[in-house]
Amino acid sequence: MKMHSYRTTHFLLFFLSIQIMCAQKPQKPNSAEIYNQIQKLNFLGSVLYIAAHPDDENTKLISYLSNEKKAQTAYLSLTRGDGGQNLIGPELREQLGVIRTQELLEARKIDGGQQFFSRANDFGFSKNPEETLQIWNKKQVLADVVWAIRKFQPDIIINRFDHRTSGNTHGHHSASALLSVESFDLTNNTKAYPEQLAYVKPWQVKKLFFNPSYWFYGSQEKFDAADKSTFLSFDTGVYYTNLGKSNAEISALSRSSHQSQGFGSTGTRGVDLEYLEPIKGLPSNTKSDLFAGIDTTWNRIDGGKPIGDLITKIIAKYDFTNPSKSIPSLVKAYEMIQLLEKSNWKIIKSEEIKNCIANCAGLYLEAVASQPEASPGETVQLTIEAINRTDAKILLESITTFPDQVTLSQNKSLGNNIDTKFSAVVSIPSSADFTEPYWLKETGTLGMYVVKDQENIGIPDIIRNNYVCFNLKIDGLELPLKRPIVYKYNHPAKGEMYQYLDIVPEVSTSFEEKVILFNTDKSKEIAVVVKSGKDNLKGELQLELPKNWIVTPDKFAVALSKKGTEKVFHFQVTPPKEAGEIFAKSALIVNGKKYSSEQVNIEYPHITKQQILQPAVSKFIKLDINIGPQKIGYIMGAGDAVPASLLQMGYDLIFLDPEEITAESIASFDVIITGIRAYNTIESLVNKQQLLFDFVKKGKTMIVQYNTPSLLKGVQLAPYPLTLSTNRVTEENADVVFLAPDHAVLNYPNKITKKDFIGWTQEQGLYYPSAYDAAFTPILSSHDTGEQDLDGALLIAPYGKGYYVYTGLSFFRELPQGVSGAYRLMANIISLQNRNSETVSNPKNK
């Protein structure tokens, strides 16, 4: 039993420290924010909001519960959003999931919530929960929901989606609600997932709600007219006078963190009613208080009443001009909490009150590394800073560095506003884990990530073990406070910039191109980048290829003197005569040890820098493909990686700035292609439509990739009537029927067959037109299992002397993944206007 208690306490403390340490820059709360933190000490109630993806959460409700009700509030997103689209860059799948994870964490910093995940992988759009739960592995995801509830111990669960309307929305959405409802009766059952009970205790949620809104009713008018007599309702449009913001304004800032999804939001003011429909649990004897019938005071803990009484006095006597006056009473409250029996609330409130004490003292504690990266076995110089900006009596007894766990005695009195700085070192163990998303370390499946350590499941962020513990004595109280080791520098335009100290491999390698096409028998120059993670790196670089692929030289000697330097090496690779696909690997041998990981850094201004380590591979494709001599003008869309693939194919491609498009500037192009969601994201493009239609009329080709219909705002997308819908084919290998088998696009310059649709990834296509003019010829038809045929995947219409093409086929996924058939079909679409030309590149004739 002792072991159980220790492990539970250890886990919860680790989780809370992760939440506290998630910000790169030191927190500097003002007097009003400290007051809110102290107020929160006196509320012992918790809510877990559950949905499927980043951006599904109701940030107004999370902010209201956290900031107005002062409840412990968390969001459980079953996935990390890996299957969505990316409006800010080219990252998709796992890399996009890493970005959206960080966006959720940024959102929670703003609205005051905490964040959890399951191991479910967002594999893309799903039309029903049955399919979702088959691909996800229902047993494992349900276990993760139960784990999150037992770990967080919420009094209340709120579902974003309705478990009774499965199939009416995204299958992931419905599945999240179904799993939440099922978990309600499992979390207090010791026979359900008993392996979890080595770390957490059974827990019974008291109430389960569904959070309805007009979206579920089809319109605001229908929702206003609906019977809501059984619903709870309350005003979340409150104004926080000490923060100077309405709840909706805070919510909008939180919502706007989801930049990769394009969910920038404008704050509102005034009354804003929120509704909750009771689903399970205790009946509510009020229509406005979701906590009715639940004791949210210190009385819920044996011996807790005196603590609540003391905190009430602290709140009443709080001095906004001098928060440090609260320190002695806060210290006393902390000591009283330590006398309580072990419980979840004891752990939570102990951590909260420690931070209140530190913030009341104006404590600034920081550990800054002399470098942004270190490799295992390396020693890193640190600058330690500690300053007390009050008259509180604070002694810095020592610091302990982690992960080496070395304690340095200090015994320095921190006088008011006297900055204390000194040097230290931290030794990175040779066995230290690299800094990377823990959920990506093991190879997962289409629907699930693999996380072998039960205690890690659900932790939102990268697990960072590099920190310094400041061992303080404040008003006689021993108070250890952790701070992450950071690297900071001054940017001439942005000022003080922070990032975490990352642990990196001694060396990483990468191919400059992740997909390389060989459409002739000739060799190609393949560039491999070597990056050193330590000084004086020496080794041998080689490519690992099947024997029928010839590479010269067989290896390169590598010598890099400085850590962080890069050098490019060029191999000549000759493909075999027969068509085929392989994954080439690059590896550097250092003292007999093979390094074959690529370091991918994801850096955007609105999120913490992320390091991903992945196999250093490139897909080599010997492809039977013919291409034409077309000159392409490309208008970039959102997160668009298609141009790189077109360049790989050998096309002459130039990027076009929509603002600068004139009839003269585009006259030299044969084809103009608009990237995915270009009309959703580039306002100026709308004003160029007539110029682009005239371009087609003169004998050229225009190819428009998918756009989201809800964001078109009346745009005339095509020279003929064309109505987009949300129709899609989510089964990537759905059987394809050729509706116009004799059309040039299926025959020139490459003969397209059903084999060209084998091996597509994630989905076949999306946002297909539901209605179109008779001038269009539908080329393809397919459908998901049990559904009607959709024939809008590829529409081609002659216009004047040229061709206008609209396609919802997911070229933006298939081309970067090296899907051969997608390359061949795209080549044919590009060649529409040149089908009678003889100037076609044909490898067979070379």
Side-chain angles (χ1 to χ4, degrees):
M1 198 65 185
K2 229 172 190 178
M3 177 65 73
H4 170 83
S5 298
Y6 170 77
R7 296 186 75 176
T8 302
T9 303
H10 173 76
F11 171 76
L12 285 169
L13 282 171
F14 177 77
F15 168 73
L16 287 166
S17 69
I18 288 292
Q19 295 291 313
I20 293 163
M21 292 165 57
C22 62
Q24 290 172 285
K25 291 188 177 182
Q27 295 180 348
K28 303 172 185 176
N30 59 40
S31 182
E33 290 167 335
I34 296 170
Y35 179 70
N36 289 341
Q37 292 171 359
I38 295 174
Q39 282 186 311
K40 194 160 190 170
L41 292 174
N42 236 11
F43 191 90
L44 279 68
S46 52
V47 182
L48 181 63
Y49 200 89
I50 298 180
H53 310 107
D55 71 48
D56 283 345
E57 81 274 25
N58 183 341
T59 54
K60 289 183 182 179
L61 189 49
I62 290 175
S63 177
Y64 172 83
L65 292 169
S66 179
N67 296 302
E68 175 66 12
K69 300 296 289 185
K70 311 301 182 186
Q72 293 288 320
T73 309
Y75 174 43
L76 170 58
S77 175
L78 296 192
T79 76
R80 296 177 182 269
D82 327 78
Q85 284 82 52
N86 185 359
L87 292 182
I88 61 172
E91 297 89 356
L92 293 174
R93 294 299 301 142
E94 288 80 4
Q95 292 185 22
L96 176 58
V98 169
I99 291 173
R100 297 189 69 191
T101 291
Q102 292 303 309
E103 290 177 338
L104 268 183
L105 291 172
E106 294 301 320
R108 297 295 81 79
K109 293 175 194 176
I110 295 168
D111 60 37
Q114 299 174 25
Q115 186 62 52
F116 296 108
F117 294 97
S118 81
R119 288 170 291 176
N121 190 338
D122 178 2
F123 56 85
F125 191 86
S126 175
K127 293 182 177 178
N128 60 74
E130 291 77 22
E131 177 198 42
T132 297
L133 294 174
Q134 286 178 354
I135 296 175
W136 271 358
N137 185 329
K138 176 187 174 182
K139 182 179 179 181
Q140 289 185 6
V141 183
L142 180 59
D144 292 355
V145 176
V146 170
W147 169 253
I149 294 169
R150 287 173 170 172
K151 178 174 61 175
F152 185 62
Q153 296 187 10
D155 297 309
I156 294 169
I157 287 177
I158 301 175
N159 291 342
R160 168 80 281 185
F161 301 102
D162 190 348
H163 67 289
R164 298 158 299 192
T165 57
S166 58
N168 293 3
T169 179
H170 195 322
H172 297 181
H173 294 167
S174 301
S176 72
L178 289 166
L179 292 171
S180 175
V181 171
E182 187 173 349
S183 70
F184 188 89
D185 297 319
L186 294 176
T187 54
N188 203 31
N189 183 349
T190 57
K191 294 182 179 179
Y193 305 106
E195 68 280 2
Q196 297 179 4
L197 301 181
Y199 311 97
V200 292
K201 294 179 179 180
W203 178 255
Q204 183 57 61
V205 178
K206 297 172 181 64
K207 296 183 182 183
L208 173 65
F209 294 99
F210 162 52
N211 179 207
S213 70
Y214 77 90
W215 187 82
F216 297 95
Y217 288 77
S219 68
Q220 186 64 54
E221 292 73 21
K222 290 181 180 179
F223 185 53
D224 291 341
D227 178 12
K228 297 187 280 292
S229 60
T230 62
F231 294 4
L232 277 72
S233 66
F234 42 89
D235 179 18
T236 63
V238 295
Y239 175 66
Y240 304 117
T241 55
N242 55 1
L243 298 179
K245 295 183 180 69
S246 72
N247 187 69
E249 288 171 326
I250 293 174
S251 165
L253 294 171
S254 172
R255 187 79 173 158
S256 297
S257 297
H258 297 296
Q259 293 187 21
S260 65
Q261 290 298 101
F263 282 154
S265 182
T266 299
T268 60
R269 288 142 294 279
V271 175
D272 193 352
L273 290 180
E274 199 69 50
Y275 295 89
L276 297 179
E277 179 184 0
I279 301 298
K280 280 192 170 190
L282 297 174
S284 294
N285 54 14
T286 175
K287 295 296 183 182
S288 60
D289 183 8
L290 72 165
F291 282 101
I294 301 172
D295 189 351
T296 58
T297 72
W298 279 93
N299 294 340
R300 74 186 292 172
I301 299 177
D302 288 340
K305 187 179 184 304
I307 299 171
D309 293 341
L310 175 56
I311 293 173
T312 299
K313 293 178 182 177
I314 296 171
I315 293 170
K317 294 181 178 180
Y318 182 78
D319 187 343
F320 282 87
T321 65
N322 187 3
S324 67
K325 289 182 179 180
S326 298
I327 291 176
S329 295
L330 286 170
V331 168
K332 183 178 179 182
Y334 178 85
E335 291 172 336
M336 292 169 68
I337 292 172
Q338 304 319 300
L339 299 177
L340 298 175
E341 292 290 328
K342 289 184 178 179
S343 70
N344 191 53
W345 282 115
K346 178 182 179 179
I347 296 169
I348 291 170
K349 294 305 175 181
S350 294
E351 289 300 306
E352 285 184 353
I353 203 166
K354 280 167 58 177
N355 283 291
C356 287
I357 293 169
N359 291 334
C360 283
L363 267 178
Y364 183 92
L365 306 171
E366 191 172 68
V368 179
S370 58
Q371 58 199 59
E373 297 178 343
S375 56
E378 191 173 354
T379 297
V380 179
Q381 296 293 321
L382 302 178
T383 298
I384 307 296
E385 180 177 5
I387 184 170
N388 163 28
R389 288 173 283 194
T390 67
D391 289 327
K393 294 181 179 179
I394 301 178
L395 177 69
L396 176 60
E397 295 185 320
S398 64
I399 64 165
T400 305
T401 55
F402 289 85
D404 58 353
Q405 301 186 49
V406 173
T407 298
L408 300 176
S409 180
Q410 298 297 315
N411 291 315
K412 296 178 179 178
S413 179
L414 301 181
N416 187 349
N417 209 33
I418 298 178
D419 201 9
T420 300
K421 289 184 179 180
F422 56 92
S423 297
V425 296
V426 60
S427 298
I428 309 300
S430 58
S431 59
D433 290 335
F434 301 129
T435 305
E436 60 180 322
Y438 69 90
W439 60 94
L440 297 180
K441 286 186 178 181
E442 305 285 341
T443 301
T445 65
L446 174 63
M448 296 297 296
Y449 287 120
V450 174
V451 181
K452 294 181 178 179
D453 188 335
Q454 177 67 50
E455 292 185 276
N456 289 347
I457 293 173
I459 290 176
D461 203 356
I462 288 173
I463 298 171
R464 300 178 186 273
N465 297 316
N466 311 311
Y467 61 92
V468 170
C469 185
F470 291 77
N471 303 305
L472 302 163
K473 183 177 284 187
I474 301 178
D475 257 28
L477 174 68
E478 300 281 350
L479 203 66
L481 293 173
K482 294 179 181 179
R483 294 295 183 266
I485 298 176
V486 297
Y487 171 75
K488 70 176 183 180
Y489 60 96
N490 187 71
H491 188 281
K494 299 177 182 179
E496 190 176 58
M497 303 293 290
Y498 280 79
Q499 65 187 66
Y500 291 113
L501 172 67
D502 284 343
I503 307 304
V504 303
E506 290 178 296
V507 64
S508 60
T509 69
S510 62
F511 290 88
E512 285 193 343
E513 301 289 344
K514 304 309 178 199
V515 176
I516 300 176
L517 298 181
F518 293 82
N519 54 4
T520 73
D521 293 338
K522 294 182 178 180
S523 66
K524 276 194 171 185
E525 188 175 79
I526 307 301
V528 177
V529 182
V530 176
K531 180 180 179 181
S532 176
K534 68 172 188 176
D535 292 336
N536 301 315
L537 175 76
K538 292 184 179 181
E540 291 184 340
L541 178 66
Q542 61 188 33
L543 294 188
E544 297 178 0
L545 296 168
K547 291 182 179 180
N548 58 342
W549 290 73
I550 301 172
V551 56
T552 55
D554 59 348
K555 58 186 176 183
F556 279 104
V558 175
L560 298 176
S561 59
K562 293 293 184 182
K563 177 171 62 177
T565 56
E566 295 183 356
K567 187 173 182 179
V568 182
F569 297 86
H570 296 91
F571 293 90
Q572 287 292 326
V573 175
T574 305
K577 293 187 178 297
E578 62 275 8
E581 301 176 356
I582 64 160
F583 284 97
K585 299 178 182 178
S586 64
L588 192 76
I589 311 300
V590 180
N591 297 325
K593 184 177 180 180
K594 181 191 292 187
Y595 293 87
S596 56
S597 291
E598 175 185 3
Q599 181 192 42
V600 177
N601 288 320
I602 297 177
E603 296 186 65
Y604 288 99
H606 68 298
I607 61 173
T608 299
K609 176 191 171 186
Q610 300 293 291
Q611 172 185 260
I612 298 176
L613 298 176
Q614 61 189 31
V617 299
S618 177
K619 190 174 185 179
F620 287 6
I621 307 173
K622 175 61 187 303
L623 186 59
D624 181 10
I625 186 173
N626 300 314
I627 66 169
Q630 293 82 10
K631 181 179 180 182
I632 298 172
Y634 200 96
I635 300 171
M636 284 291 287
D640 202 343
V642 169
S645 299
L646 298 178
L647 290 168
Q648 272 285 334
M649 293 168 74
Y651 286 110
D652 179 7
L653 182 146
I654 295 176
F655 293 101
L656 300 179
D657 180 349
E659 293 277 2
E660 298 178 0
I661 289 178
T662 64
E664 293 75 20
S665 69
I666 61 176
S668 64
F669 294 102
D670 302 296
V671 179
I672 288 179
I673 302 176
T674 64
I676 59 172
R677 299 180 71 172
Y679 290 91
N680 298 153
T681 56
I682 307 173
E683 291 186 12
S684 60
L685 184 56
V686 176
N687 301 323
K688 303 294 182 177
Q689 281 299 83
Q690 193 54 54
L691 283 174
L692 295 173
F693 294 159
D694 291 343
F695 169 84
V696 176
K697 189 180 287 188
K698 293 175 182 178
K700 307 298 180 72
T701 298
M702 180 179 180
I703 303 169
V704 176
Q705 297 180 79
Y706 95 87
N707 285 265
T708 303
S710 62
L711 299 176
L712 283 177
K713 300 177 182 178
V715 177
Q716 184 186 347
L717 200 62
Y720 304 110
L722 182 71
T723 303
L724 300 189
S725 73
T726 57
N727 294 336
R728 62 176 79 201
V729 178
T730 62
E731 297 172 15
E732 56 268 22
N733 290 320
D735 184 53
V736 177
V737 175
F738 294 170
L739 299 176
D742 296 329
H743 196 285
V745 78
L746 296 177
N747 294 279
Y748 180 86
N750 305 286
K751 179 67 176 177
I752 303 300
T753 70
K754 288 190 176 184
K755 289 182 179 180
D756 288 298
F757 289 90
I758 295 174
W760 284 47
T761 65
Q762 189 161 329
E763 59 190 344
Q764 206 172 83
L766 62 168
Y767 297 112
Y768 292 175
S770 57
Y772 46 86
D773 192 83
F776 285 101
T777 299
I779 305 299
L780 308 170
S781 176
S782 63
H783 64 269
D784 285 328
T785 302
E787 297 190 0
Q788 294 183 338
D789 290 336
L790 296 177
D791 58 7
L794 179 58
L795 300 175
I796 300 175
Y799 183 67
K801 298 179 181 179
Y803 288 93
Y804 176 92
V805 180
Y806 182 87
T807 179
L809 291 171
S810 58
F811 285 111
F812 73 103
R813 297 191 192 280
E814 314 312 323
L815 294 177
Q817 288 295 315
V819 177
S820 299
Y823 282 99
R824 288 163 47 81
L825 180 57
M826 178 57 80
N828 283 17
I829 298 172
I830 291 170
S831 295
L832 275 170
Q833 192 60 30
N834 297 77
R835 64 188 184 280
N836 297 319
S837 171
E838 294 300 322
T839 54
V840 173
S841 172
N842 188 339
K844 295 177 183 177
N845 297 332
K846 293 186 177 180

